[in-house]
Amino acid sequence: MKKQVFNPYMPSWEHVPDGEPHVFGGRVYVYGSHDFFNGWVFCQGDYICYSAPVTDLRDWKYEGVIYPKTSEKMNADGHMCLYAPDVTKGPDGRYYLYYVYDKVGFVSVAVCDKPAGRYKFYGHVHYKDGTKLGERKGDMPQFDPSVLTEDDKTYLYTGFCGNNMKDRIGAMATVLGPDMLTVEEEPVIIAPGDCYTDTSFKVQTECPYRQDSIENWKGYKNHAFFEASSIRKIGDTYYFIFSSQVMHELCYATSKNPTSEFKYGGVIVSNCDMHINSYKPADMPTAYGSNNHGSFELINGEYYIFYHRHTNGNWFNRQGCAEKIKVMPDGKIPQVLITSCGLNGGPLEGKGEYPAYIACNIFNNDSPCVYMKYDAPQITQDGKDGDRILGHIANVQDGYTFGFKYFDFKDVKSVSITTRGYVYGKYEIRTKWDGPILATITPVGTNIWKTYTSDISIPDGVGELYFTFKGSGTHHFKGFALN
């Protein structure tokens, strides 16, 4: 079997959510926060980086730690966490890392001569009088910075608007000068939080920021800004990417101006496939979603959206995924399905062994749920954080389906599954989650991994694969093989 890449595209023991992909010098670098396996809060680790050549997205390289969380004196004891970062290349040719610690409301900056070198603390974003952005009277706290540099200007996008937080108006755009720190143009609110999509609201007179293009804000209804600011540019159009008030989706808005006139465009991806109606009802979730954060990037002539999924039965063990997207001639971006094959450049081979952790769908059609359930089947691993052990699905229960997309099936005659634990029942195997059963396999309870096989006839061509468990007990699903 040739080398392939799955979702998640990093190793299964790695947890790097909030991915910001950037192409520098023939490689794509992904900058994100860093969760711990079995972590108890978000973003407990140092910033690390992965990269791949733009010509081969199956060949990811671990670049190591690029910025320890103890880099600033105020966090020498590590009590604060590094939230989602972004990187831009400055007018001086150096690379600037923007970030926010979880216990403060201002933006920090680090700098490096290489995209994935060891960044050094540089300073804090501030007004011309030295006051930090976020600490002036009336300022909203800074959160999830994203940056785009054009000539001597750097556009900084920030914000967090939890549901019903009337003191948080929306996402901010701030223009910085060539030193990458000093505010040159006052912040502007460019997209509304959920309290401000009704244009009849009273403008916040105490807020020092200009509130731009309020007449456009009603277009964000039901998809108001929540967090995860990101910025991209295609031609003469700026794309503001963000996580909406429902959290599981990444949306976009567009404008010809980097600090005004942004109009809501649509959903790019949902980490539970909500709104997708090509293989199931649009309001049916087929994975356990929660928050989402990412962006898109042009890589070797194709656009890809990077996002994250949730694992281990909680919100704090997130993993980066990616899908190819299309940018239409009119600039619109249709929503893309979540898959197992992401950056592979096409479907996975229809024969061979595959780990269960690449499941893009985990759901129970009898009790659908959009958000993470702690007692549901979950992608996890043995060992502790950092142990290089392949992931699997744990806590498998009656009625749950595990879906994998896509494979190029050819002359498949048998299917095998590997399980362990207390299992009393059977797996039903289909190529549509609600389609006819093509094979059944009845595993036996055991405390070690055991493999079981059945004959199967799968039509040739590109398709999906679903495993539904019917029975009792709770057990683990390691993976499957097609032959």
Side-chain angles (χ1 to χ4, degrees):
M1 183 182 292
K2 67 180 181 180
K3 185 176 182 180
Q4 301 185 108
V5 65
F6 311 132
N7 269 332
Y9 55 90
M10 295 180 191
S12 69
W13 54 83
E14 200 69 272
H15 296 78
V16 181
D18 307 327
E20 281 280 0
H22 290 287
V23 172
F24 297 125
R27 295 186 71 84
V28 56
Y29 297 84
V30 176
Y31 305 94
S33 53
H34 188 189
D35 290 349
F36 283 170
F37 172 65
N38 273 336
W40 50 93
V41 297
F42 295 118
C43 313
Q44 290 181 255
D46 301 325
Y47 286 145
I48 64 175
C49 184
Y50 275 78
S51 75
V54 296
T55 54
D56 188 0
L57 299 181
R58 297 169 296 182
D59 186 20
W60 288 90
K61 173 187 176 183
Y62 175 59
E63 298 283 359
V65 174
I66 62 170
Y67 196 64
K69 67 179 181 180
T70 55
S71 294
E72 288 194 54
K73 290 182 180 179
M74 66 177 177
N75 199 41
D77 64 356
H79 72 284
M80 292 190 289
C81 297
L82 288 167
Y83 275 174
D86 196 12
V87 169
T88 186
K89 189 174 183 179
D92 61 357
R94 295 192 295 172
Y95 299 87
Y96 291 83
L97 172 73
Y98 288 73
Y99 62 95
V100 173
Y101 281 115
D102 66 336
K103 304 298 183 189
V104 300
F106 52 83
V107 179
S108 299
V109 185
V111 66
C112 187
D113 292 331
K114 298 185 294 183
R118 192 79 164 201
Y119 285 75
K120 300 296 183 183
F121 174 65
Y122 177 61
H124 298 118
V125 174
H126 58 265
Y127 295 103
K128 290 181 180 180
D129 67 357
T131 305
K132 296 183 184 73
L133 176 65
E135 293 196 336
R136 186 177 66 178
K137 182 179 180 181
D139 275 1
M140 291 189 298
Q142 301 296 287
F143 191 79
D144 284 356
S146 182
V147 277
L148 173 68
T149 299
E150 293 186 312
D151 300 322
D152 286 342
K153 290 184 176 181
T154 292
Y155 301 101
L156 169 67
Y157 301 81
T158 53
F160 175 85
C161 295
N163 287 341
N164 300 311
M165 294 179 68
K166 292 186 177 180
D167 60 328
R168 307 290 182 91
I169 302 173
M172 300 168 48
T174 306
V175 181
L176 307 180
D179 69 352
M180 313 298 284
L181 295 174
T182 304
V183 175
E184 293 292 338
E185 297 180 22
E186 285 284 316
V188 181
I189 306 296
I190 61 166
D194 76 312
C195 293
Y196 299 101
T197 56
D198 181 350
T199 55
S200 66
F201 70 84
K202 182 179 179 181
V203 174
Q204 298 291 297
T205 56
E206 294 182 1
C207 176
Y209 315 136
R210 179 165 62 87
Q211 295 158 50
D212 178 76
S213 306
I214 291 175
E215 66 277 6
N216 292 336
W217 288 12
K218 62 183 179 181
Y220 292 79
K221 187 173 180 61
N222 299 320
H223 304 278
F225 173 78
F226 171 53
E227 62 178 1
S229 297
S230 185
I231 189 69
R232 293 294 186 269
K233 189 178 184 183
I234 299 176
D236 64 352
T237 301
Y238 296 88
Y239 285 74
F240 177 61
I241 301 98
F242 62 96
S243 174
S244 81
Q245 66 195 78
V246 299
M247 296 188 292
H248 59 76
E249 62 187 24
L250 293 181
C251 304
Y252 73 98
T254 59
S255 176
K256 300 297 183 182
N257 189 305
T259 60
S260 67
E261 301 291 338
F262 278 92
K263 293 184 179 181
Y264 178 77
V267 177
I268 302 176
V269 68
S270 160
N271 60 21
C272 56
D273 255 2
M274 287 292 283
H275 320 304
I276 293 290
N277 63 3
S278 58
Y279 71 98
K280 46 86 176 174
D283 62 352
M284 174 184 168
T286 53
Y288 290 107
S290 292
N291 65 20
N292 205 348
H293 190 147
S295 194
F296 65 77
E297 183 74 344
L298 178 64
I299 305 173
N300 199 32
E302 303 279 0
Y303 284 99
Y304 297 86
I305 183 71
F306 287 69
Y307 63 101
H308 65 237
R309 71 177 188 178
H310 291 254
T311 68
N312 206 36
N314 64 51
W315 289 50
F316 313 129
N317 291 226
R318 301 162 296 170
Q319 296 182 313
C321 297
E323 311 290 351
K324 184 184 290 188
I325 61 173
K326 292 182 180 180
V327 179
M328 308 307 288
D330 63 359
K332 294 186 182 303
I333 302 175
Q335 184 177 343
V336 67
L337 281 71
I338 56 176
T339 73
S340 304
C341 57
L343 300 175
N344 195 55
L348 302 171
E349 290 190 28
K351 289 191 176 181
E353 296 184 5
Y354 289 97
Y357 78 80
I358 70 171
C360 55
N361 304 130
I362 299 179
F363 64 95
N364 187 329
N365 188 47
D366 293 330
S367 57
C369 184
V370 172
Y371 300 104
M372 177 62 67
K373 291 179 65 175
Y374 297 94
D375 58 349
Q378 56 199 245
I379 294 167
T380 187
Q381 69 177 67
D382 292 338
K384 62 184 184 302
D385 183 71
D387 288 350
R388 299 190 172 193
I389 301 172
L390 283 182
H392 63 271
I393 297 175
N395 202 31
V396 177
Q397 303 166 44
D398 177 57
Y400 278 89
T401 294
F402 312 107
F404 303 82
K405 299 186 180 81
Y406 290 96
F407 299 92
D408 187 6
F409 298 118
K410 188 174 182 179
D411 197 28
V412 176
K413 291 183 169 60
S414 70
V415 59
S416 302
I417 62 169
T418 300
T419 64
R420 70 181 180 189
Y422 295 110
V423 52
Y424 310 100
K426 64 182 179 181
Y427 277 84
E428 299 171 347
I429 302 159
R430 300 171 170 88
T431 53
K432 301 292 182 184
W433 69 271
D434 57 351
I437 298 171
L438 302 183
T440 60
I441 298 179
T442 303
V444 176
T446 175
N447 70 320
I448 62 173
W449 293 115
K450 286 285 189 177
T451 299
Y452 310 89
T453 303
S454 172
D455 293 338
I456 194 171
S457 178
I458 298 178
D460 289 354
V462 175
E464 309 153 34
L465 200 58
Y466 296 90
F467 298 80
T468 300
F469 178 69
K470 298 289 188 178
S472 60
T474 58
H475 65 280
H476 296 184
F477 177 27
K478 183 178 184 180
F480 61 94
L482 301 171
N483 293 290

